[in-house]
Amino acid sequence: GYDGPSGLGSPRGTLSFTANGSQTGTLYNGINNMCADDYNDLSSNGNKIQIWQCLGGASQNWTVESNGTIQSNGKCLALITPPTGNGTKVQLWACIGGDTNQQWQPLANGEIVNGSTGLCLDNHGGSSTDNGTDNGTELDLWACNDDANEQWTLPYSQPVALDRIISTYPAPATLCADDYHGSS
């Protein structure tokens, strides 16, 4: 909510000062110490995306863009097409503006929904048989079920429809943005 010319509002870390609203970092899975990983840190079309123990290396460096894409090495997280429903694998592919196979919507519960299928990004290795900790398991899509294998922590908090806008300035107060008198 920061407006530079007027000085009103509070900047949110470095996010307020980026040109496109993007932020880069690790994409953590809800399974303990597992992260989305670009196989061998390659940038070729079709490169598989896997789950791997969080090591903080370049292959686990993701950029969440304000246009709804999630990128690594300048390529977008995309579906292998045509999508076939549950079990559709994800891959890296050249970013194509407006392609819903490359659009992702984070939800308040930590799930990330694909724009063309309505299915969630899934560490399907997170089934009851292997608990999602097998390095190298390819990520796929699955019906959203609120399980830990579909819970993701983005490199930064992205507001969603149900979030509040909160300020803690001046400390220790916690204040919320409010629609004065509920006016439209």
Side-chain angles (χ1 to χ4, degrees), residues 77-81 83 88-91 101 104 114 116-117 141:
L77 182 65
L79 305 183
I80 292 178
T81 57
T88 299
K89 301 292 185 203
V90 295
Q91 63 185 345
N101 284 335
W104 302 91
N114 176 260
S116 69
T117 64
L141 295 181

Side-chain angles (χ1 to χ4, degrees), residues 81-162:
T81 57
T84 57
N86 284 345
T88 299
K89 301 292 185 203
V90 295
Q91 63 185 345
L92 274 189
W93 201 264
C95 297
I96 303 168
D99 185 348
T100 58
N101 284 335
Q102 299 178 351
Q103 295 293 305
W104 302 91
Q105 174 62 50
L107 302 180
N109 65 356
E111 292 173 325
I112 301 176
V113 178
N114 176 260
S116 69
T117 64
L119 300 173
C120 284
L121 182 62
D122 185 89
N123 167 12
H124 202 63
S127 66
S128 59
T129 58
D130 77 10
N131 77 7
T133 59
D134 288 343
N135 286 336
T137 300
E138 289 185 61
L139 297 182
D140 61 11
L141 295 181
W142 207 262
C144 301
N145 58 33
D146 207 26
D147 287 343
N149 57 309
E150 290 183 353
Q151 303 295 310
W152 299 92
T153 302
L154 299 172
Y156 65 91
S157 309
Q158 181 169 335
V160 294
L162 301 176

Side-chain angles (χ1 to χ4, degrees), residues 38-45 47-49 59 72-73 75 92:
D38 173 12
Y39 177 73
N40 283 336
D41 195 31
L42 298 175
S43 61
S44 54
N45 281 342
N47 198 46
K48 78 175 185 175
I49 306 304
S59 65
S72 180
N73 285 313
K75 299 277 177 101
L92 274 189

Side-chain angles (χ1 to χ4, degrees), residues 28 118 170:
Y28 295 98

Side-chain angles (χ1 to χ4, degrees), residues 160-180:
V160 294
L162 301 176
D163 284 349
R164 296 168 291 158
I165 299 172
I166 299 173
S167 172
T168 56
Y169 180 83
T174 300
L175 306 171
C176 291
D178 181 57
D179 179 8
Y180 185 69

